[in-house]
Amino acid sequence: MIHCIYSNLPKFKTVEFHRGLNVLIVRREQESTEKQTRNRAGKTSLIEIVHLLTGADIKKDSPFRSDKLSEAMFGMEFDLGGSKTKVERKTKKNTKIVMQDYDRDRKEKELSHKHWLQILGDCLFDLGTTSDGQGNPPTFRSLFPYFVRRQNSGGFSSPEKQANMQQVGDFQKALMFLLGLDWTIASDWQQVRNREKTLKELKKAAGIGAFGNIIGKASDLRTQLAVAEANLKKLRNQVDSFKVHAEYSELETEADKITSKMNILSNENTIDIAVIRDIEKALQSEHPPTLSNLEEIYAEVGVSLPQVATKRYEEVRSFHESVIRNRRDYLSEELNSAKQRVEIRNESKAKLDQKRSEVMGILQSHGALEQFSKLQAKIIKLETDVEVLRQRFQAAEQLEGSKTELEIERNRLTLRLRRDFTEQKQRLDEAILAFEEISKRLYESAGSMTVEATSNGPLFEFPMQGSSSKGIRNIQIFCFDMMLMRVCNKRGFGTEFLIHDSHLFDGVDGRQVISALKVGSQIADELGFQYIVTLNEDDAFKESADGFDIREHILPVTLTDATEDGGLFGFRF
């Protein structure tokens, strides 16, 4: 239980508590105006102090960030692990937490934030006995707010959640842990959700933009990968059989020179062959004109050739035959010379061709070191391309195959959950019956709690007539919290106190408010825990209940917003 809450602030109102029901009243003075709503009296701040002293983070929007509280220290005396303990914490960021165990060494110890949470988790929820091999167990800060709900976090929105932003996996794991069920199922379910979320984001990214081009379709990538691997294997075989010749470049140059010489010889042969053809043709056409041809020409023009003309013609013919003979001799010599040059060149070409064949044979069976290096570089690049393709193919296969795997995993977890519900039927029934029994004390038509094994984990529902109204929904939270106190009390762990802010009773009929306080007082006395409630004065005395006098449970300290120093802190800020 909590014995007291105090501070080093000069006008802070120290609040002392006792066992059973504790009602902290916020009084409305007669001189208060309608604008003084008592919302700044400090009801919610008291709950925030409890969270501050049990390891809550001091966020940017926290009232403890106020300049007026920059040097403030808050403390609490409460029972922890069977001993009366004092804990103090300053509002400065990252300050140490001071703890003193009254019943043991009575020495003050400075603890880190992490160490303090570990102590609280071990002492209140036996988290230290939870094996790391069982997954990620619930944290102290995910369990504690069910016993001290926070309005600022949306703790009064629904029974199964202690904060609006609490994720499905977090509250499923926390509640299964508190109810004594196999919480590792909820932990495994959250891993499935995380994988599904990642898969959804990857699929979305793969469908649009550059990322889609990077991944691609598995079928296309399978083909590309097969072709790339085959090319890589072929290139590796080439490198394995590659022979490096030290004078490869010189041989390449020599082969080029030989080819160039052979081309020159071929061109020269082409010219000489043309000359030979022309000479042979000229030799065939070289001969003197006949006398009969000349006589026919003279006869056609009607001229008789004299004897002297004929004689001169013979002389001319003889001369002409001499010229023709000399010319044929000259052409014959030129023809022989041309044929000899062609023959010589052909012999040279044959020798050059033989030499080139030898050089080319070496070039074909060997390679240059530079060429070998290029092949190796090409292999490295192709290996990189193949690995990228392989990774893309695996990613594409994972994207296309993960959905089926996750559906299988969901079915497996659903079977595990149903089996756990069967094995832990007694514990589950105790929780269900406790909720209904508490509800019956408040309503003629009792509400109920159902826990269903679904494909998304355990589903907690609280059917109750008129549950759409805020007041009924808040009473569902009251019944749920009291059920948790009963279940945890039987299991021998959990807090020895339950704190409800006045926000829990917003919109609740006055008769239900006083009935809830009566039931809460009875259950607290029955189980031996402390039930702390902050309440506005007019809400506390609207109605009465037989056999229950709220005045017996009102704390001596009262708060008011009517004056500057009437609130919990002793000043307004």
Side-chain angles (χ1 to χ4, degrees), residues 322-522:
S322 175
V323 171
I324 291 300
R325 187 169 49 255
N326 292 336
R327 176 173 172 74
R328 287 180 66 87
D329 291 341
Y330 171 77
L331 290 176
S332 295
E333 290 178 1
E334 287 296 319
L335 178 62
N336 291 331
S337 296
K339 287 181 177 182
Q340 287 178 0
R341 291 196 301 271
V342 170
E343 185 176 352
I344 292 171
R345 291 192 194 104
N346 285 337
E347 292 176 356
S348 298
K349 283 176 62 181
K351 293 178 181 179
L352 290 172
D353 188 52
Q354 178 64 31
K355 179 62 176 176
R356 185 175 67 173
S357 296
E358 293 174 359
V359 173
M360 293 303 295
I362 296 173
L363 292 177
Q364 289 175 0
S365 60
H366 294 72
L369 180 60
E370 181 183 0
Q371 184 181 359
F372 182 73
S373 300
K374 289 181 179 179
L375 285 175
Q376 287 184 318
K378 191 174 181 181
I379 283 181
I380 294 173
K381 182 180 181 304
L382 193 52
E383 285 176 341
T384 303
D385 294 342
V386 167
E387 183 59 29
V388 170
L389 279 173
R390 185 177 291 112
Q391 292 178 2
R392 288 174 60 193
F393 174 65
Q394 291 173 351
E397 272 200 326
Q398 182 179 1
L399 283 177
E400 295 174 9
S402 293
K403 183 178 180 181
T404 302
E405 293 176 3
L406 291 174
E407 288 176 354
I408 294 172
E409 182 64 15
R410 277 189 174 276
N411 291 333
R412 188 182 68 83
L413 289 173
T414 303
L415 291 175
R416 277 183 62 191
L417 185 61
R418 289 174 180 170
R419 184 167 56 250
D420 185 56
F421 282 1
T422 301
E423 294 173 353
Q424 302 296 335
K425 181 179 183 300
Q426 183 177 349
R427 286 183 174 179
L428 201 54
D429 288 349
E430 287 174 355
I432 293 171
L433 293 175
F435 185 94
E436 186 172 7
E437 184 268 333
I438 296 166
S439 178
K440 276 184 178 180
R441 296 192 191 187
L442 301 174
Y443 293 95
E444 293 181 1
S445 178
S448 59
M449 180 180 76
T450 63
V451 186
E452 181 184 358
T454 72
S455 60
N456 195 37
L459 175 65
F460 297 87
E461 292 184 321
F462 309 90
M464 183 179 289
Q465 187 176 357
S467 59
S468 60
S469 71
K470 187 177 187 301
I472 298 296
R473 196 162 57 248
N474 285 1
I475 291 299
Q476 287 178 332
I477 296 174
F478 172 85
C479 296
F480 183 84
D481 291 353
M482 286 294 170
M483 177 273 295
L484 279 182
M485 292 302 296
R486 185 178 291 280
V487 169
C488 291
N489 179 268
K490 185 172 183 179
R491 295 185 61 196
F493 82 162
T495 64
E496 294 181 354
F497 52 85
L498 174 66
I499 303 179
H500 278 157
D501 190 358
S502 62
H503 289 287
L504 177 66
F505 301 105
D506 289 347
V508 179
D509 182 79
R511 290 170 297 179
Q512 301 304 325
V513 172
I514 200 68
S515 295
L517 294 175
K518 178 182 177 180
V519 171
S521 177
Q522 292 172 343

Side-chain angles (χ1 to χ4, degrees), residues 237-262:
N237 291 335
Q238 291 180 6
V239 171
D240 291 341
S241 60
F242 195 93
K243 296 179 181 179
V244 178
H245 198 288
E247 300 176 355
Y248 188 89
S249 297
E250 289 81 356
L251 291 174
E252 276 189 324
T253 303
E254 184 179 354
D256 290 339
K257 289 181 178 179
I258 292 173
T259 301
S260 178
K261 288 180 180 180
M262 290 178 66

Side-chain angles (χ1 to χ4, degrees), residues 267-321:
N267 292 335
E268 290 177 350
N269 272 359
T270 300
I271 296 172
D272 278 343
I273 289 172
V275 170
I276 291 171
R277 186 172 52 250
D278 291 340
I279 291 175
E280 289 178 341
K281 185 178 181 180
L283 287 173
Q284 292 177 0
S285 61
E286 286 293 337
H287 54 84
T290 62
L291 181 59
S292 59
N293 289 338
L294 186 59
E295 289 176 345
E296 289 178 358
I297 292 173
Y298 275 93
E300 289 177 357
V301 296
V303 179
S304 296
L305 292 178
Q307 197 68 21
V308 64
T310 301
K311 185 178 180 180
R312 288 178 183 173
Y313 175 75
E314 289 296 335
E315 292 176 356
V316 170
R317 179 182 179 189
S318 177
F319 173 76
H320 187 65
E321 286 178 348

